[in-house]
Amino acid sequence: MKYLTTTLLLFLFNFTFAQTTFKVDNFSKVYYGKIFIADTSEVFSKGWVAIYDKKTNKQIIKVESNELALSLHNGKALANIKSLPYGEQSLIMYEDYNFDGIKDFAINDGQNSCYHGPSFRIYLGTKNDFKFSSEFTALAQDYCGMFQVDYKQKKLSTMTKSGCCWHQFSEFVVENNKPKVIKIVEDDQMNFPYNNYSEQNWDGKKMVVKTKRMITLDENEGVKTILSFTVDKNQKKVVLFNINDRTLNYVLIDKNDEVEFSYPINTVYQNPDFNFDRKDNTVTFKNKNVVYTIYDSSNTVGITIVTGGKTYNWTGNKTTKKGKLTDITATPLDNVVVN
């Protein structure tokens, strides 16, 4: 009997230790919060977050979750810690999200944002109570963590991503008590070593889209420039480069440093996209009905373009030349035929 009593006490002790309720009282003179964690030994635990009125102790908001992640500061749970995008985000935030002068609540409901990040439900404050807002909540669910608030410009901003190489940044204003997107910026580096950049801006009637394609050859590991030069006639830059010593690539960059044309359109290993002629020291490739020939000699460098029965010769500026065509043969490339 004594053994059973001891075992029962140990069980109750462990059970009580695992389930803990934390009071949060650092954010308001009117309200306080409670956070219940079902298992403090786990990083993510079932539990709930609730808000109470200090005068009446009446519960006004409660959000249950299957995955709460609570960080403590000297043993205490604190509100309004927001280190974006990947730092600590409190389970309770008390801020003005719709810029009406009344503070609102963001209550953590688990890890439902991008990459299993923290997500929140937004309750907008009124003169008498708080009302759940699905529109503001979407900003704290569909992106990466909680959104940022700019009180000076009265804007909200979000970020989301896919892997290392695609990011989206959005800005919102508040109209009719709802967030309205006014700017979306996408930075896409999925197609290494190219960078596709797009920007959408609200002009008062519609979103206006601007796009540009860039390439940063000197800063990309695995990219080697074989030959480059600037064309005298139009100040465009011609570049031949290889990627990871596997494939040859051609890119034409305009005077604004934007990619005007690149080849091959899709890199496929073992595809003979280019022909290198040792005797003439030229590289030739064809895109649809257009034939391009890059030449390089001791006296001149440039590219000829044959299309529609006409030949256009773009002579390169020798002072801008870097590298030489013969370097193509330094490493066997999968998509180059050497004659």
Side-chain angles (χ1 to χ4, degrees), residues 15 53 65 99 107 133 188-189 195 202 246 250 267 274 290 295 321:
F15 184 79
D53 186 293
S65 172
F99 309 113
I107 307 297
S133 169
D188 182 359
Q189 300 182 41
N195 179 10
W202 180 254
R246 295 293 303 273
Y250 165 86
T267 298
F274 298 88
V290 183
Y295 55 88
K321 176 188 170 184

Side-chain angles (χ1 to χ4, degrees), residues 42 103-104 114 170 206 255 301 304 317 322 326 335:
E42 297 291 336
K103 287 188 176 182
D104 314 301
C114 81
S170 302
K206 62 183 184 301
K255 59 184 179 181
V301 65
T304 61
N317 187 316
K322 294 181 180 179
T326 53
N335 63 340

Side-chain angles (χ1 to χ4, degrees), residues 8-23:
L8 179 60
L9 288 173
L10 286 172
F11 173 79
L12 290 174
F13 174 80
N14 290 331
F15 184 79
T16 304
F17 177 78
Q19 296 190 33
T20 307
T21 301
F22 299 88
K23 186 175 182 180

Side-chain angles (χ1 to χ4, degrees), residues 1 4 18 41 50 56 60 80 83 93 96 102 119 128 139 145 151 154 181 188 196 203 231 233 250 263 266 278 321:
M1 185 68 179
L4 289 175
S41 67
T56 64
I60 57 176
N80 288 344
S83 180
M93 297 189 195
D96 183 6
I102 303 174
S119 56
N128 302 315
L139 301 190
Y151 292 104
K154 293 187 177 181
V181 65
D188 182 359
N196 295 316
D203 70 353
V231 178
K233 182 177 181 180
Y250 165 86
Y263 183 86
N266 296 304
R278 292 178 183 269
K321 176 188 170 184

Side-chain angles (χ1 to χ4, degrees), residues 224 226 240-249 268-274 276 325 327-338:
K224 295 180 182 177
I226 295 173
L240 278 175
F241 63 95
N242 82 46
I243 298 178
N244 297 325
D245 290 334
R246 295 293 303 273
T247 59
L248 184 66
N249 293 262
V268 180
Y269 292 145
Q270 304 297 341
N271 181 20
D273 299 305
F274 298 88
F276 175 61
L325 271 186
D327 287 345
I328 288 176
T329 59
T331 302
L333 300 174
D334 293 343
N335 63 340
V336 178
V337 174
V338 178

